Amino acid sequence: MLLREGAKKAVKEELALWLTSRIRAATVILIIGLQPVASFAAFEVEQWGAHSAAMGGAFSAHVGTVEGSWFNPALAASMQVKMFTSTHVQLFRGVPGGLGQNLGGVVVPTKYGGFSLSFGQFGDSGYNEQIFEIGFAKKIHDRLSLGFQLGNEGWFYDTWERRDWSASVGGVYEVGWITPGTYARIGLVARGLGSDTRDLRGLTGQHPSRYVVALEVRPDQQIFAAELEIERDELEVRIGCETPLVGDWKLRFGGNVLSADTLNRTASIGIGYTWTSIRFDYAYTHSYDLSSFGATHRIGIGLFGS
């Protein structure tokens, strides 16, 4: 009898701990969702894969990977082979219960242009955010590519649900060789066009329109990238770098600063490895202003073929 009572007590304690962890996680989501900085910077679905996150999100002028089309739809026009990528994200390891995110996308080049498809999911059975995007990009000149993307974002929690459609347009201009060993390109993007923003508290899971100017410079085998994003009264600066390590290994690092009502400063570092037709990526990011929530880890894998 005493053993049964002890077992029941242990089960109750385990159940209480589990419920407490889930309530804390849900509370963090809801509380941070009410804050403009954290809502936009962390808890609405942002398609930052392991490759792009390691470079501080400075990816709106980066060609050669599916993740580029998540930032600028025009980049799909530069893809020469079919490519698929997926990323699993463990957000803020310090949050009880954990917060997971999954991203994926594919780009298919054709004689007409590049077609892109991407998706993202964040949350659990209680609170969930999703995004789905489809796009097309085409080179209209040797130096200029244009792209269009149609996206659907939404969230649901209990009986509450909201979905919105929006469009994005982007352009990539190939500046060319600015020195014998240095190549440069510029990216321009307008995202979230035509979305319903009547709920100004940012609780719909849908971003207001935002505009990006990006520059990428490639001296030898290195990559240096910087971009500026403007969204209402908010301003975000992102910078990143990639440099060779040993063999097919790449080292990446960067950071971004989001200025709104307060600052959100984030640093990142990561590695990448390419083996035949498979690419592996990892990124570690840490927010100075949300340090109590812990770091974020991203693991990605990409497949590319003919």
Side-chain angles (χ1 to χ4, degrees):
M1 188 70 179
L2 290 175
L3 289 175
R4 287 184 180 179
E5 291 298 326
K8 288 181 180 180
K9 184 177 180 182
V11 170
K12 287 181 179 179
E13 289 177 350
E14 287 291 329
L15 181 60
L17 288 173
W18 182 84
L19 288 173
T20 300
S21 69
R22 304 315 295 168
I23 291 172
R24 286 177 179 172
T27 302
V28 168
I29 293 172
L30 293 175
I31 290 176
I32 295 184
L34 294 174
Q35 304 298 323
V37 172
S39 173
F40 293 152
F43 283 95
E44 291 187 350
V45 172
E46 282 282 14
Q47 287 178 291
W48 285 28
H51 190 168
S52 52
M55 293 183 63
F59 229 63
S60 297
H62 187 86
V63 303
T65 174
V66 176
E67 290 184 33
S69 64
W70 300 351
F71 289 78
N72 185 345
L75 290 169
S78 301
M79 295 291 288
Q80 301 298 314
V81 297
K82 301 173 187 176
M83 189 169 185
F84 167 81
T85 190
S86 65
T87 297
H88 174 71
V89 186
Q90 187 63 48
L91 290 158
F92 300 117
R93 292 288 295 171
V95 175
L99 300 173
Q101 183 182 26
N102 294 291
L103 307 169
V106 62
V107 171
V108 179
T110 70
K111 63 180 181 180
Y112 305 104
F115 292 87
S116 62
L117 182 69
S118 62
F119 61 89
Q121 179 273 335
F122 158 70
D124 55 22
S125 58
Y127 176 83
N128 197 284
E129 293 186 19
Q130 297 173 345
I131 182 171
F132 175 84
E133 293 178 332
I134 184 169
F136 173 76
K138 184 177 180 61
K139 277 196 171 186
I140 62 173
H141 186 273
D142 288 343
R143 291 180 179 268
L144 181 63
S145 300
L146 297 178
F148 174 82
Q149 202 171 58
L150 185 64
N152 181 269
E153 290 184 89
W155 60 260
F156 67 84
Y157 177 75
D158 196 15
T159 59
W160 300 337
E161 182 176 357
R162 180 66 178 273
R163 284 202 166 274
D164 290 291
W165 291 90
S166 65
S168 300
V169 294
V172 175
Y173 180 73
E174 306 289 342
V175 177
W177 297 99
I178 56 178
T179 72
T182 303
Y183 192 88
R185 67 171 54 89
I186 295 173
L188 299 172
V189 190
R191 298 189 63 85
L193 302 175
S195 63
D196 185 353
T197 57
R198 286 177 295 176
D199 188 344
L200 299 180
R201 295 174 297 170
L203 301 179
T204 64
Q206 175 67 49
H207 283 287
S209 299
R210 51 198 190 276
Y211 306 92
V212 180
V213 179
L215 172 66
E216 183 176 271
V217 179
R218 299 192 175 204
D220 295 326
Q221 299 182 47
Q222 295 180 315
I223 299 174
F224 296 95
E227 60 186 64
L228 176 69
E229 179 176 304
I230 300 173
E231 178 181 311
R232 285 199 189 134
D233 297 328
E234 300 177 9
L235 188 69
E236 184 171 11
V237 178
R238 302 191 280 258
I239 58 173
C241 176
E242 178 180 284
T243 187
L245 277 177
V246 178
D248 294 321
W249 288 91
K250 306 286 186 181
L251 173 65
R252 302 164 184 145
F253 52 92
N256 59 291
V257 178
L258 175 64
S259 175
D261 295 337
T262 59
L263 286 177
N264 184 17
R265 294 158 289 185
T266 303
S268 56
I269 189 169
I271 56 174
Y273 177 74
T274 301
W275 178 67
T276 62
S277 61
I278 305 175
R279 179 155 60 200
F280 302 93
D281 299 297
Y282 169 76
Y284 171 94
T285 59
H286 191 274
S287 171
Y288 175 80
D289 300 287
L290 298 174
S291 58
S292 60
F293 295 134
T296 293
H297 301 270
R298 290 175 170 85
I299 299 175
I301 183 171
L303 306 174
F304 49 93
S306 61

